[in-house]
């Protein structure tokens, strides 16, 4: 399995895809309508720096467009940040989203890892502060919150200490909040309340997961430092965000009720899935607490292949650092899909018990 392989890459025989963490409510109708209307504008170039969308995002954050950058998916922003900031070293949790490491390696930047402990549920602890104290000035730390693939969030008090420490030590801090809206605690956990005070802080987000539009590729970053935004924009090609993607982003920002409904729905379905998975103790060995729209668990190695034979894809996590065969990430999907997954697992559990 390729170290940088992601979920969502499955064969034609897959009916239920639990390997990609996309909002189970699907694309909002308002976004679909905006996309249809935008097609007639495809004969024109898009805004070169997505100014209208940047202004709309800035309005949400209480800033101006000069503090926002829009990109062709959050992944483009990750790579642009590494090129723009030219860090002395890359700092990463292990395990975490692999594109951070790939971005550092693409520019020959050395990477230093802080291993999360399985016995602690892969939760970040205060020992991480000691790790940061030892790092070289100018290093760049990526924190995925909630973390991917474990689903754990950094406690707000610890996150605040990390923020203060990185500012004092001259470290860049990039916090990826692509999954945070699924937690139901966005207001309490987002770095939105801090970014104006810390110019070393870059907050990343994406429309991909929350609004179920991965095919459109749309992400954004917010930073109080206008110099950082300027350096990021220099790294991006003109017209990097298409006309349909910009239109979809503007429409998505208006979907407040959809976002609230999503948090409630995901919490209910996550609880339903966890309760159901616990009924298959032969196959499912351990389930970790999650605040995201996915569940991380330990199971019988080979479970992914058993489920694939039944037309169901789950994400094997053995290619993540610190993880191993039998570690899986399962997306929270609709009730119908979740029931189909649980039924398949129960049938495999029954067969396994007979061995």
């Amino acid at each position: 399995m390729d170290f940088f392989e992601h979920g969502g890459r499955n064969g034609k025989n897959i009916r239920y895809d639990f390997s990609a963490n996309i909002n189970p409510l699907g694309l909002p109708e308002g976004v679909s309508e905006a996309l249809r209307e935008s097609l007639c504008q495809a004969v024109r170039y898009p805004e070169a720096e997505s100014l209208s969308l940047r202004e709309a995002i800035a309005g949400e954050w209480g800033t101006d467009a000069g503090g926002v950058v829009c990109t062709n998916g959050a992944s483009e922003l990750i790579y642009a940040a590494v090129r723009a900031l030219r860090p002395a070293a890359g700092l990463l949790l292990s395990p975490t989203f692999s594109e951070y490491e790939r971005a550092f390696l693409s520019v020959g930047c050395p990477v230093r890892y802080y291993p999360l402990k399985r016995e602690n549920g892969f939760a970040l602890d205060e020992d991480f502060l000691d790790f940061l104290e030892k790092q070289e000035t100018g290093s760049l730390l990526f924190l995925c919150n909630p973390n991917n693939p474990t689903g754990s969030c950094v406690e707000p008090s610890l996150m605040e200490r990390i923020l203060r420490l990185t500012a004092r030590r001259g470290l860049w801090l990039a916090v990826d909040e692509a999954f945070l809206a699924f937690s139901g605690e966005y207001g309490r956990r987002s770095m939105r309340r801090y970014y104006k005070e810390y110019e070393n802080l870059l907050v990343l987000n994406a429309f991909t997961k929350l609004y179920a539009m991965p095919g459109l590729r749309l992400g954004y970053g917010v930073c109080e430092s206008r110099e950082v935004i300027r350096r990021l924009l220099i790294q991006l090609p003109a017209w990097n965000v298409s006309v349909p993607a910009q239109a979809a982003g503007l429409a998505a920002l208006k979907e407040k009720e959809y976002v609230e409904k999503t948090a409630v729905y995901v919490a209910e379905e996550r609880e339903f899935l966890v309760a159901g998975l616990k009924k298959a103790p032969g196959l499912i060995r351990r389930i970790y607490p999650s605040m995201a729209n996915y569940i991380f668990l330990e199971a019988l190695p080979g479970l992914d292949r058993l489920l694939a034979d039944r037309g169901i894809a789950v994400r094997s996590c053995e290619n993540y650092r610190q993880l191993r065969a039998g570690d899986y990430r399962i997306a929270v999907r609709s009730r119908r899909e979740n029931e189909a997954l649980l039924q398949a697992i129960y049938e495999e559990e029954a067969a396994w018990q007979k061995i």
Side-chain angles (χ1 to χ4, degrees):
M1 191 175 191
D2 190 296
F3 179 75
F4 295 112
E5 184 174 333
H6 298 293
R9 299 179 178 180
N10 302 300
K12 296 181 180 178
N13 296 325
I14 295 300
R15 183 179 179 187
Y16 300 110
D17 187 1
F18 289 82
S19 71
N21 309 313
I22 308 301
N23 193 329
L25 296 183
L27 194 67
E29 180 54 39
V31 176
S32 294
E33 180 61 28
L35 283 170
R36 287 190 289 269
E37 293 178 356
S38 75
L39 293 181
C40 64
Q41 301 298 321
V43 296
R44 300 187 177 95
Y45 281 101
E47 291 184 10
E49 294 182 349
S50 308
L51 182 58
S52 296
L53 181 55
R54 289 167 62 201
E55 289 176 339
I57 295 170
E60 298 277 320
W61 282 68
T63 185
D64 57 74
V68 181
V69 60
C70 291
T71 53
N72 193 319
S75 58
E76 183 178 55
L77 179 55
I78 292 167
Y79 285 80
V82 170
R83 294 194 303 269
L85 299 177
R86 299 179 181 178
L91 310 178
L92 297 175
L93 304 183
S94 177
T96 196
F97 184 46
S98 63
E99 286 301 301
Y100 309 138
E101 179 174 359
R102 192 172 187 175
F104 287 131
L105 296 178
S106 73
V107 296
C109 180
V111 184
R112 296 174 186 135
Y113 309 93
Y114 181 80
L116 299 175
K117 302 178 181 66
R118 188 176 292 267
E119 58 269 26
N120 291 344
F122 296 104
L124 193 62
D125 55 30
E126 292 188 357
D127 290 344
F128 183 58
L129 300 173
D130 295 331
F131 169 82
L132 291 179
E133 286 282 8
K134 302 172 185 176
Q135 304 309 316
E136 186 177 353
T137 298
S139 295
L140 169 59
L141 166 64
F142 277 105
L143 280 182
C144 190
N145 195 39
N147 195 22
N148 180 8
T150 61
S152 60
C153 274
V154 181
E155 283 304 308
S157 59
L158 178 57
M159 183 66 89
E160 186 174 359
R161 293 174 68 186
I162 292 170
L163 180 55
R164 290 201 303 264
L165 190 157
T166 56
R168 174 174 57 80
R169 290 280 293 107
L171 307 176
W172 297 105
L173 173 60
V175 180
D176 186 341
E177 298 185 345
F179 296 105
L180 191 56
F182 294 106
S183 71
E185 297 186 3
Y186 180 86
R188 188 169 82 90
R189 295 181 179 273
S190 175
M191 302 305 284
R192 182 181 294 199
R193 65 191 186 279
Y194 294 120
Y195 82 96
K196 287 190 175 182
E197 304 171 38
Y198 295 89
E199 293 197 348
N200 70 312
L201 173 65
L202 172 65
V203 185
L204 295 76
N205 214 321
F207 290 80
T208 299
K209 313 296 185 182
L210 180 58
Y211 299 102
M213 44 191 270
L216 287 174
R217 311 307 304 140
L218 183 59
Y220 68 90
V222 180
C223 184
E224 180 63 14
S225 170
R226 299 309 190 261
E227 174 60 17
V228 168
I229 296 297
R230 186 191 69 81
R231 288 161 66 178
L232 287 168
L233 289 171
I234 289 173
Q235 296 299 324
L236 301 173
W239 314 297
N240 64 315
V241 180
S242 69
V243 167
Q246 291 188 38
L250 287 166
L253 291 173
K254 300 175 184 178
E255 296 285 345
K256 310 299 184 187
E257 184 177 341
Y258 170 91
V259 173
E260 294 175 2
K261 182 180 178 181
T262 290
V264 173
Y265 187 82
V266 166
E268 291 175 350
E269 290 304 310
R270 185 173 58 223
E271 182 178 355
F272 173 77
L273 259 182
V274 169
L277 290 167
K278 288 180 178 178
K279 296 177 182 178
L283 294 183
I284 310 299
R285 309 295 170 76
R286 181 178 180 181
I287 303 171
Y288 291 81
S290 173
M291 297 195 71
N293 60 328
Y294 48 86
I295 298 165
F296 181 70
L297 53 84
E298 296 175 24
L300 183 75
L303 178 64
D304 54 329
R305 294 188 294 275
L306 294 175
L307 292 174
D309 289 341
R310 294 174 174 270
I312 298 174
V314 297
R315 173 66 158 94
S316 171
C317 295
E318 64 181 294
N319 67 325
Y320 281 84
R321 292 187 183 277
Q322 299 288 118
L323 301 185
R324 62 197 182 197
D327 290 334
Y328 295 100
R329 189 192 68 199
I330 296 177
V332 176
R333 300 297 303 158
S334 68
R335 177 58 61 94
R336 178 179 63 84
E337 292 169 292
N338 295 336
E339 287 177 337
L341 171 66
L342 291 175
Q343 182 59 38
I345 288 176
Y346 295 156
E347 291 175 7
E348 291 294 344
E349 170 88 0
W352 183 84
Q353 294 288 359
K354 294 178 181 179
I355 298 176

